[in-house]
Structure formats: structure tokens, C-alpha cells
Amino acid sequence: MRMESKFSFLINLLVLQYLAVVCVSQDFDFFYFVQQWPGSYCDSAKSSCCYPTTGKPAADFGIHGLWPNYNDGSYPQNCDSGNPFDEPKISDLIGNMRKNWPTLACPSGSGETFWSHEWEKHGTCSESVLDQHGYFETTLGLKQQTKLLQALKTAGINPDGSTYSLENIKDAIKEGTGYTPWIECNRDSSGNSQLYQVYLCLDNSGSGLIECPVFPRGGKCGPEIEFPSF
Ligand code: 5GP
Ligand code: 5GP
């Protein structure tokens, strides 16, 4: 090779390497699949809640979101403002979304604001793997698959305002889903620690649950936590 072409070959190689690093660094390692207990959102000391315009949700866990994450615990967000939430793309899923992904924030809404926030903040960071329809469909599928409330009830853990051991709650979810959950607690208006959100992990191709590579920080529970009614 002539000196000149060797030089341009090297430059090309460097450019390709740079592009590879940029592309890979926009990627992510796994997803958190996060479900919330509506009773603990509503009776929390920090927030009151508003039922959706479509009515009070069922006494069941609801979806909070599907969040791309890195193995070091950090996460990308708001990755593509050029791909806004577009409800017509998921019109076939809306009935299912209202039931399983209800919004409890005030003022009351039908869900679009919450879904749009989740898509734009988190979903746009995994759009290379799941497009909008795939993102919402996959998340709804995980809710059906994990059946958290059933797993807890089977173990005698009911949303009745009693207090249960955190270990028993984790064991029941592991027994039901096959995977170890992370439990996030918040506090009710009397300051009691209560079961607020359950985190499970999904591989970065969106194809199956995995053991979580890392658990979130914060939201720690005491050894005994309340499971409020809704
Ligand atoms: P908070 O500060 O209430 O725990 O979380 C606020 C928001 O930050 C969440 O609703 C979620 O959008 C995002 N978030 C918090 N922790 C994590 C995390 O560990 N991973 C990801 N991907 N997002 C998170
Ligand atoms: P995040 O998870 O993705 O960053 O934060 C949740 C955002 O969605 C907050 O701005 C919150 O006000 C809004 N939101 C709307 N409905 C709900 C709900 O039912 N639960 C939670 N946790 N946030 C909701």
C-alpha cells in the first residue's frame, strides 16, 4: 500500500471505530419493568391521587413503565425528541392500557399524558429494539405474565392494610414469576413503610425476564411493610 492510501485507510478505521462507540454508547443493558400498587400511590404522605376519567382502576398492580437502564445503575432518558408519542400507532391497545396502565396523578386524565411521558422519557431510549407499538405491547404482556397480585395472594399476602415481612413478599414474587424482585417502599400518611413499586428486569432485546443485573438505589423498605388496601 502506498503511504497515502495507508493513511486514508487508518483514518477510515478511526472514523468507523468512533461511530461504533457512539452507537453502542446510546444503547442500554437491560430494562426495569416497574409496577405500582395504587393503594400506596394514593395514601402516600407525598401525594394524593386522582382516579382516571375512565373510572376507579381495579384493585390490582398497575404498570408504571418499562425503563432502559445501564448495568452501572445509571440510565438514558429523553433520547429522541423526533419520535413523540403518537396514540394512533397504539389504537388497538388503548382498552388494555386503560385497564392495566391507569394514571393516578392529579388532575384526572385518561392516561395519554402518563403514557406519553413514559414513551418520551424511557421508550425513546430503546426504540432501536421496540418501536412504539412494540414498547407498549411488550409492557402489557409483562403485566399479564407476572401476575403479581395472584403471586402474593397465593402466599397469603393480601392488600388488607396488614403488615408483612419483606422477605416473604420477595419470596412470593420469586415463586410466582421465577425472578427476584426489587421492592420500593413509600410512606403512608402515618409514616408507615408500605409496598409501593415492584421492579423486575427484562433483557435488552425485550424478549424475556432476567435476574436484575443491579437494583435501583433508594426507596428502601423496612423488614416489615404494610400492604394497604385500594
Ligand atoms: P424517583 O426519583 O421518584 O425514584 O424516580 C423518578 C423517575 O426517575 C421515575 O419515575 C423514573 O422515570 C426515573 N427513574 C428513577 N430511578 C430509575 C432507575 O433506576 N432507572 C431508570 N431507568 N429510571 C429511573
Ligand atoms: P417517571 O416515572 O417516569 O419519570 O415519572 C412519572 C411521571 O408520570 C410523573 O410526572 C407523574 O406525575 C406522572 N404520572 C402520571 N400518572 C402516574 C401514576 O399513576 N403513577 C406515577 N408514579 N406517575 C404518574
Side-chain angles (χ1 to χ4, degrees), residues 36 41 64 67 102-105 114 117-118 121-122 196-197:
Q36 61 181 2
Y41 185 92
H64 182 162
W67 305 344
T103 180
L104 290 166
F114 189 24
H117 169 88
E118 292 300 313
K121 179 170 179 180
H122 299 284
Y196 172 41
Q197 299 201 110

Side-chain angles (χ1 to χ4, degrees), residues 34 36 38 41 47 49-50 52 62-67 75 77 101-107 111 113-115 117-119 121-122 135 196-197:
V34 186
Q36 61 181 2
Y41 185 92
S47 67
C49 75
C50 292
I63 296 168
H64 182 162
L66 186 64
W67 305 344
Y75 55 91
Q77 49 182 325
W101 202 327
T103 180
L104 290 166
C106 297
T113 310
F114 189 24
W115 308 331
H117 169 88
E118 292 300 313
W119 167 256
K121 179 170 179 180
H122 299 284
Y135 178 80
Y196 172 41
Q197 299 201 110

Side-chain angles (χ1 to χ4, degrees), residues 197-219:
Q197 299 201 110
V198 177
Y199 293 63
L200 289 162
C201 290
L202 182 71
D203 68 41
N204 68 356
S205 57
S207 48
L209 293 174
I210 54 171
E211 284 293 339
C212 289
V214 59
F215 286 124
R217 290 178 278 268

Side-chain angles (χ1 to χ4, degrees), residues 6-133:
K6 254 191 198 162
F7 184 68
S8 69
F9 175 75
L10 258 173
I11 295 285
N12 279 337
L13 207 66
L14 281 173
V15 167
L16 279 176
Q17 266 181 351
Y18 172 76
L19 285 176
V21 167
V22 166
C23 293
V24 168
S25 66
Q26 281 171 345
D27 240 322
F28 61 98
D29 297 318
F30 68 95
F31 291 99
Y32 282 126
F33 168 52
V34 186
Q35 298 179 68
Q36 61 181 2
W37 178 250
S40 304
Y41 185 92
C42 288
D43 77 354
S44 140
K46 275 203 188 146
S47 67
S48 54
C49 75
C50 292
Y51 296 153
T53 48
T54 44
K56 183 180 177 178
D60 188 10
F61 284 88
I63 296 168
H64 182 162
L66 186 64
W67 305 344
N69 223 81
Y70 299 118
N71 285 339
D72 70 1
S74 68
Y75 55 91
Q77 49 182 325
N78 300 111
C79 296
D80 183 6
S81 57
N83 187 359
F85 178 67
D86 186 13
E87 191 164 332
K89 286 190 175 141
I90 56 162
S91 52
D92 60 317
L93 304 175
I94 295 298
N96 194 339
M97 302 266 294
R98 291 214 171 105
K99 193 160 165 276
N100 293 297
W101 202 327
T103 180
L104 290 166
C106 297
S108 292
S110 58
E112 281 77 7
T113 310
F114 189 24
W115 308 331
S116 150
H117 169 88
E118 292 300 313
W119 167 256
E120 286 165 17
K121 179 170 179 180
H122 299 284
T124 55
C125 300
S126 51
E127 64 189 13
S128 59
V129 180
L130 295 171
D131 64 11
Q132 277 192 55
H133 193 273

